[in-house]
């Protein structure tokens, strides 16, 4: 494995860097492989099936607890209504801690163990913290986590269950200067103490993020080919980039002969990448976040530049949706498809519904929506969804059957 800078193209072959030595740009791992290298190893499970396409970690350091190999669920209702040839949901809520972040945590903690790190440290909007806390517990590594003052309750509880050392930081997430300081202190501490920085973006940890690519490999194997379109929610941008990178490597190795069109979906209230895409800007546009969708409130998306690189090369596009449309999509998935996901995860489906208003014929398309996390992640939304539904309580003599 070596790494390539996404800005200046400089290759780093010797030691392990987390940012470009020349321009501080984002590094993307690359691999020496031959066409004869099989994509997956049948006797291995989860992300490790694809270890030849992942940063090298000796077997004894790999952390595994059932992440990956998530179901690709065919739509029974929405696809037909929208006139789509084939519509599927890649349901990531089935991962051990309930979101696709487990793929990153499995890769990152394994990498950290192999590198002899003694702890890991990071920030989170919720799901990454839950995933890293669980995998750090399993890897026997302390986890120091700094979070926003108002983190989604169920996600904070999940972090606490796994006994991560959590600190809330006042004004973190609202005051950009505070954010900057927190990141600086985290990096200083990590270098000084030989800790791994577990922040889920290629910008901060390109090795851990390679775990996301396994979504692309699984889709390719499950569909026996490349879908025409993939809709994905976008917060920091790492999920989008990882999926793109996976398909790009399949194509580069001549396993596939095409790329999917990747649609990034953001809530209107935090649509910095959508606005940049429409304006032709290479970097996300500044602006505060006003969306209430937990997980997608990322005013400065760390991998935003990479996402926009993909789009400006013709590999994808971007669409924004109102929070209310995301909630409707979440309800629709639960009622008509049987899939209960968190609002951030339903954003992909809301984006698809929004795009389909253009009336284009989609009968020959094969579309996948990434449904990135389970519904139990957002307890406030869960009670909002159900509080007006009354459940009658009957005497046995009154049974209405
Ligand atoms: C983190 C997360 C996202 C956004 O992923 P990014 O890599 O930050 O763009 C979407 N959905 C869920 C459930 C998440 O946990
Ligand atoms: Zn560079």
């Amino acid at each position: 494995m070596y790494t390539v800078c996404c800005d200046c193209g400089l290759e780093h072959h010797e030691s392990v860097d987390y940012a470009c030595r020349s321009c501080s740009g984002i590094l993307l791992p690359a691999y020496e492989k031959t066409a004869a290298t099989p994509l997956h190893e049948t006797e291995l499970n989860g992300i490790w099936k694809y270890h030849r396409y992942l940063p090298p970690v000796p077997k004894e350091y790999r952390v595994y607890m059932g992440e990956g190999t998530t179901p690709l669920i065919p739509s029974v209702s929405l696809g037909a209504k929208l006139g789509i040839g084939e519509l599927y949901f890649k349901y990531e809520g089935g991962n051990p801690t309930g979101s696709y972040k487990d793929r990153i945590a499995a890769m990152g903690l394994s990498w950290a163990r192999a590198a002899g790190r003694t702890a890991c440290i990071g920030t989170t909007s919720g799901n990454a913290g839950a995933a890293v806390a669980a995998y750090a517990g399993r890897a026997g590594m302390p986890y120091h986590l700094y979070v926003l003052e108002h983190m989604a309750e169920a996600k904070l509880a999940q972090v606490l269950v796994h006994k991560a050392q959590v600190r809330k930081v006042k004004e973190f997430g609202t005051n950009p200067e505070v954010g900057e300081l927190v990141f600086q202190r985290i990096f200083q501490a990590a270098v000084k103490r030989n800790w791994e920085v577990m922040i889920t973006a290629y910008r901060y940890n390109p090795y851990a993020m390679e775990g996301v690519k396994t979504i692309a490999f699984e889709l390719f194997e499950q569909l026996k080919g490349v879908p025409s379109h993939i809709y994905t929610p976008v917060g920091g941008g790492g999920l989008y980039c990882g999926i793109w990178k996976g398909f790009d490597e399949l194509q580069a190795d001549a396993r596939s002969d095409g790329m999917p069109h990747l649609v990034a979906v953001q809530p209107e209230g935090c649509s910095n990448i959508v606005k940049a895409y429409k304006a032709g800007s290479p970097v996300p546009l500044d602006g505060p976040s006003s969306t209430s969708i937990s997980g997608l409130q990322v005013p400065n998306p760390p991998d935003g530049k990479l996402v926009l690189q993909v789009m400006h090369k013709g590999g994808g596009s971007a669409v924004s949706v109102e929070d209310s449309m995301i909630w409707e999509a979440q309800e629709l998935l639960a009622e008509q498809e049987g899939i209960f996901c968190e609002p951030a995860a339903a954003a992909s489906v809301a984006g698809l519904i929004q795009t389909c208003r253009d009336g284009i014929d989609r009968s020959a398309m094969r579309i996948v929506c990434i449904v990135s996390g389970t519904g139990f992640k957002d307890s406030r939304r869960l009670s909002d969804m159900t509080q007006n539904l009354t459940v009658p309580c009957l005497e046995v003599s009154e049974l209405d059957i």
Side-chain angles (χ1 to χ4, degrees):
M1 182 186 68
Y2 57 100
T3 55
V4 185
C5 173
C6 80
D7 280 332
C8 73
L10 184 69
E11 293 186 2
H12 299 59
H13 282 271
E14 296 81 29
S15 82
V16 176
D17 289 303
Y18 283 69
C20 176
R21 283 188 188 176
S22 162
C23 75
S24 307
I26 299 176
L27 290 182
L28 296 178
Y31 305 84
E32 292 97 357
K33 290 181 281 8
T34 64
T37 309
L39 177 59
H40 83 232
E41 210 167 303
T42 334
E43 64 272 24
L44 295 177
N45 287 316
I47 66 167
W48 301 112
K49 272 200 297 203
Y50 308 105
H51 70 95
R52 293 188 190 87
Y53 277 77
L54 296 174
V57 173
K59 272 198 179 119
E60 63 271 28
Y61 294 117
R62 291 178 194 165
V63 189
Y64 170 72
M65 60 166 166
E67 66 284 349
T69 324
T70 55
L72 184 65
I73 307 173
S75 169
V76 288
S77 158
L78 184 64
K81 269 186 213 149
L82 295 174
I84 295 168
E86 290 173 54
L87 175 63
Y88 301 90
F89 307 106
K90 179 69 169 161
Y91 182 58
E92 290 290 302
N95 280 299
T97 78
S99 85
Y100 84 92
K101 297 287 198 312
D102 289 348
R103 298 176 188 264
I104 306 171
M107 184 66 235
L109 265 301
S110 305
W111 175 258
R113 279 174 94 192
R117 308 279 196 235
T118 53
C120 56
I121 183 167
T123 62
T124 182
S125 66
N127 287 341
V132 174
Y135 283 80
R138 196 168 172 80
M141 223 181 260
Y143 178 32
H144 306 273
L145 177 62
Y146 295 86
V147 301
L148 320 184
E149 227 176 313
H150 305 287
M151 179 174 164
E153 263 167 51
K155 295 180 184 179
L156 178 59
Q158 214 182 347
V159 168
L160 292 172
V161 162
H162 293 294
K163 297 286 190 288
Q165 298 179 35
V166 193
R167 302 279 180 271
K168 290 183 172 177
V169 183
K170 288 181 185 156
E171 289 186 76
F172 182 34
T174 49
N175 182 339
E177 283 169 29
V178 169
E180 201 48 49
L181 271 171
V182 171
F183 284 116
Q184 265 183 29
R185 293 287 299 276
I186 284 179
F187 286 110
Q188 283 164 1
V191 170
K192 199 166 100 194
R193 301 182 187 172
N194 192 27
W195 291 355
E196 186 79 4
V197 175
M198 282 299 294
I199 301 177
T200 56
Y202 275 94
R203 151 73 58 210
Y204 299 120
N205 194 329
Y207 309 103
M209 288 307 285
E210 286 288 87
V212 178
K213 283 187 329 196
T214 55
I215 296 177
F217 301 155
E218 288 175 19
L219 284 175
F220 179 65
E221 292 186 325
Q222 286 168 319
L223 290 169
K224 300 186 173 60
V226 178
S228 57
H229 296 72
I230 300 176
Y231 285 72
T232 162
V234 166
L239 173 61
Y240 183 99
C241 294
I243 294 174
W244 167 78
K245 192 168 184 288
F247 281 105
D248 188 58
E249 287 176 9
L250 291 174
Q251 181 173 257
D253 286 1
R255 289 180 195 285
S256 71
D257 56 358
M259 290 291 289
H261 181 94
L262 255 61
V263 186
V265 186
Q266 286 190 301
E268 192 75 46
C270 189
S271 51
N272 35 51
I273 291 176
V274 181
K275 287 183 191 134
Y277 167 69
K278 289 184 177 152
S281 160
V283 290
L285 299 188
D286 277 344
S289 160
S290 62
T291 177
S292 61
I293 308 298
S294 154
L296 305 184
Q297 300 155 316
V298 190
N300 313 303
D303 288 341
K305 202 171 165 183
L306 266 179
V307 173
L308 286 159
Q309 264 185 8
V310 172
M311 289 176 189
H312 292 320
K313 276 191 294 195
S317 53
V319 59
S320 60
V321 285
E322 295 288 350
D323 287 4
S324 59
M325 256 193 96
I326 294 178
W327 293 325
E328 279 165 29
Q330 185 196 16
E331 285 167 17
L332 181 150
L333 277 176
E335 284 172 33
Q336 297 175 23
E337 302 280 357
I339 299 170
F340 181 43
C341 66
E342 69 173 288
S348 58
V349 177
L352 172 67
I353 295 170
Q354 168 81 17
T355 317
C356 284
R357 289 180 180 160
D358 63 12
I360 288 174
D361 177 14
R362 288 183 167 75
S363 57
M365 292 184 186
R366 207 179 191 197
I367 299 179
V368 175
C369 289
I370 306 293
V371 179
S372 44
T374 170
F376 296 104
K377 287 283 192 176
D378 194 330
S379 49
R380 188 167 340 137
R381 173 68 186 141
L382 181 54
S383 65
D384 283 351
M385 284 171 94
T386 51
Q387 67 184 2
N388 293 327
L389 305 174
T390 52
V391 180
C393 186
L394 308 176
E395 295 290 343
V396 69
S397 59
E398 297 169 340
L399 282 183
D400 44 2
I401 40 175

